[in-house]
């Protein structure tokens, strides 16, 4: 591994390409994160009956504890020769928070941090935390998109919302039947041709959207997955706000996307930008007329969703916008917020 570190430091593009990209003989994942992360968690794969680690296998694994995640992160940092215990502890906690303990997201974190460390000459103190978060968010969204793009997303979002955080198989199948609406929204609200509620449920489970939690109870494995599905069933701005791509947000606003559109949880794109910690995107949305005091179905304003890693600038942007908004006369009415009895998870 030390030789691989030297190759990265000296700018050997051939070695770097092998480390950070898929190669024909591997198992579908970049080599370095596998060597430095998940594959080192003793028993994790064996307990799940998996002999070879792949993206299609990782989503079936259960969540890791904080200690397990920190163990994997410690081994990752050991391979890079990172010695600062204070920085390592901070990053280990950040990685646990970003990954939600889900192995596939832990892989995303390691992959994003591997590239950032290489760019920083393997100096952890020189890593750009903002760049790491955006790259991890981009990979996370791409992964979720790949797992949901064959599903009728509006129907799935409504089913998850109606059942709640967890439910039995029969509850999900009943919800599919009751929420299925052939008259609305084209195919997004319909059970796909050739399928019934039972087959659609099996496809949802097969895609990793639902996992068996305990006994006969199913649920989304991590909060961010349910949040992504709700956003994808919302507007274009909801979805791209998750990615942290400011250029895409700017283009969507120029094309007339509504900055105050709401998703099934009553969130505006500003709620999502604030929850992700994207100060630049929040500023764009506010300049386009986003309401800083809009409340989601849980009564939360965007500023109440700020994550621990949010910088002071974002808090100041939202605070100032809220103060200006309250001192200015309002014109018209805010858009109505739909009512739903159950919000499927406690996260944003």
């Amino acid at each position: 591994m030390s030789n691989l570190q030297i190759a990265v430091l000296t700018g050997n593009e051939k070695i770097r390409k092998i480390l950070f990209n898929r190669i024909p003989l591997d198992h579908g994942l970049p080599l370095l994160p596998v060597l430095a992360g998940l594959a080192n968690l003793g028993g994790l794969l064996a307990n799940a009956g998996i002999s070879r680690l792949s993206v299609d296998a990782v989503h079936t694994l259960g969540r890791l504890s904080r200690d397990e995640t920190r163990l994997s992160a410690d081994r990752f940092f050991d391979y890079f020769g990172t010695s600062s215990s204070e920085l390592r502890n901070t990053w280990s906690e950040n990685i646990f928070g970003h990954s939600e303990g889900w192995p596939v997201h832990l892989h995303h974190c390691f992959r994003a941090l591997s590239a950032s460390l290489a760019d920083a000459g393997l100096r952890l103190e020189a890593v750009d935390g903002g760049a790491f978060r955006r790259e991890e968010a981009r990979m996370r969204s791409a992964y979720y998109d790949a797992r949901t793009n064959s599903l009728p997303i509006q129907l799935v979002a409504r089913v998850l919302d109606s059942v709640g955080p967890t439910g039995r198989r029969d509850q999900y199948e009943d919800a599919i039947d009751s929420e299925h609406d052939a008259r609305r929204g084209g195919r997004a609200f319909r059970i796909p041709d050739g399928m019934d509620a039972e087959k659609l449920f099996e496809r949802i489970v097969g895609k990793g959207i639902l996992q068996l939690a305990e006994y006969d109870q199913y649920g989304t494995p991590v909060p961010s997955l349910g949040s992504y599905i709700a956003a994808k069933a919302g507007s274009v701005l909801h979805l791209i706000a998750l990615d942290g791509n400011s250029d895409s947000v700017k283009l969507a606003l120029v094309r007339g996307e509504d900055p105050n559109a709401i998703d099934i949880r009553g969130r505006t794109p500003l709620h999502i930008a604030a929850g992700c910690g994207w100060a630049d995107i929040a500023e764009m949305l506010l300049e386009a007329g986003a309401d800083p005091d809009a409340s989601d179905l849980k009564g939360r304003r965007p500023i109440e969703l700020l994550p621990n890693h949010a910088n002071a600038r974002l808090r100041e942007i939202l605070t100032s916008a809220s103060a200006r908004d309250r001192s200015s006369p309002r014109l018209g009415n805010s858009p109505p917020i739909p009512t739903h009895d159950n919000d499927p998870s406690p996260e944003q």
Side-chain angles (χ1 to χ4, degrees):
M1 180 58 73
S2 60
N3 290 336
L4 296 180
Q5 293 176 5
I6 292 171
V8 172
L9 281 172
T10 56
N12 187 317
E13 282 301 313
K14 184 176 180 180
I15 296 296
R16 183 179 171 121
K17 183 176 181 181
I18 292 174
L19 290 176
F20 297 115
N21 295 280
R22 298 182 181 187
I23 54 177
L25 298 179
D26 79 354
H27 37 48
L29 294 179
L31 176 62
L32 183 56
V34 171
L35 290 175
L38 289 177
N40 293 292
L41 285 176
L44 175 65
L45 302 182
N47 290 341
I50 297 170
S51 59
R52 293 174 65 82
L53 188 62
S54 68
V55 170
D56 284 339
V58 171
H59 83 268
T60 66
L61 298 176
R63 293 172 72 172
L64 304 174
S65 68
R66 174 179 267 100
D67 287 344
E68 288 173 318
T69 303
R70 289 180 65 91
L71 171 62
S72 189
D74 282 342
R75 288 171 173 169
F76 176 89
F77 291 130
D78 285 343
Y79 282 125
F80 277 102
T82 303
S83 58
S84 171
S85 59
E86 184 176 349
L87 271 179
R88 283 172 59 139
N89 287 337
T90 299
W91 272 100
S92 293
E93 282 301 309
N94 287 340
I95 287 171
F96 176 72
H98 283 290
S99 70
E100 303 172 279
W102 209 22
V104 68
H105 290 336
L106 190 58
H107 157 66
H108 292 152
C109 287
F110 286 151
R111 185 176 175 187
L113 189 53
S114 297
S116 295
L117 274 169
D119 290 339
L122 297 185
R123 294 169 53 241
L124 189 58
E125 66 273 14
V127 168
D128 183 341
F132 158 78
R133 286 193 297 273
R134 288 182 191 268
E135 179 61 12
E136 189 273 332
R138 183 196 64 77
M139 288 191 290
R140 176 187 301 233
S141 290
Y143 175 80
Y144 283 161
D145 182 63
R147 303 222 73 82
T148 59
N149 61 12
S150 65
L151 297 172
I153 198 65
Q154 296 283 355
L155 175 57
V156 172
R158 287 165 55 161
V159 167
L160 296 181
D161 183 68
S162 66
V163 173
T166 60
R168 301 185 310 275
R169 173 172 182 151
D170 63 293
Q171 290 177 300
Y172 283 105
E173 291 178 356
D174 288 346
I176 290 172
D177 280 328
S178 62
E179 297 290 348
H180 161 71
D181 191 342
R183 299 166 298 176
R184 292 188 57 192
R187 300 182 64 85
F189 285 91
R190 303 177 187 174
I191 297 176
D193 294 341
M195 302 189 76
D196 55 16
E198 181 179 351
K199 290 181 179 178
L200 179 55
F201 173 82
E202 290 173 355
R203 176 179 287 186
I204 293 171
V205 172
K207 289 289 186 178
I209 310 304
L210 291 173
Q211 286 186 358
L212 186 61
E214 55 182 31
Y215 304 110
D216 61 346
Q217 296 291 308
Y218 288 83
T220 50
V222 287
S224 66
L225 177 53
S227 180
Y228 175 88
I229 290 172
K232 189 170 183 177
S235 71
V236 171
L237 272 176
H238 283 94
L239 195 55
I240 59 179
L242 281 171
D243 293 346
N245 189 323
S246 55
D247 289 338
S248 296
V249 171
K250 184 185 297 184
L251 182 59
L253 290 170
V254 168
R255 290 178 173 174
E257 290 291 331
D258 183 4
N260 288 307
I262 53 175
D263 66 11
I264 199 169
R265 297 183 178 180
R267 302 175 302 177
T268 66
L270 185 59
H271 280 94
I272 290 176
C276 293
W278 309 137
D280 53 346
I281 292 176
E283 199 164 31
M284 286 181 191
L285 292 168
L286 288 165
E287 289 174 356
D291 182 358
D293 292 318
S295 295
D296 65 10
L297 293 182
K298 292 184 176 180
R300 302 171 301 180
R301 296 177 297 132
I303 197 170
E304 296 174 58
L305 299 179
L306 293 182
N308 292 333
H309 60 74
N311 58 37
R313 175 172 167 252
L314 176 54
R315 184 174 294 277
E316 175 59 28
I317 288 171
L318 292 171
T319 301
S320 299
S322 181
R324 288 194 304 271
D325 190 62
R326 290 175 184 177
S327 65
S328 302
R330 290 181 178 269
L331 298 177
N333 297 316
S334 298
I337 294 179
T339 58
H340 298 278
D341 293 334
N342 296 305
D343 196 356
S345 72
E347 58 32 280
Q348 41 183 317

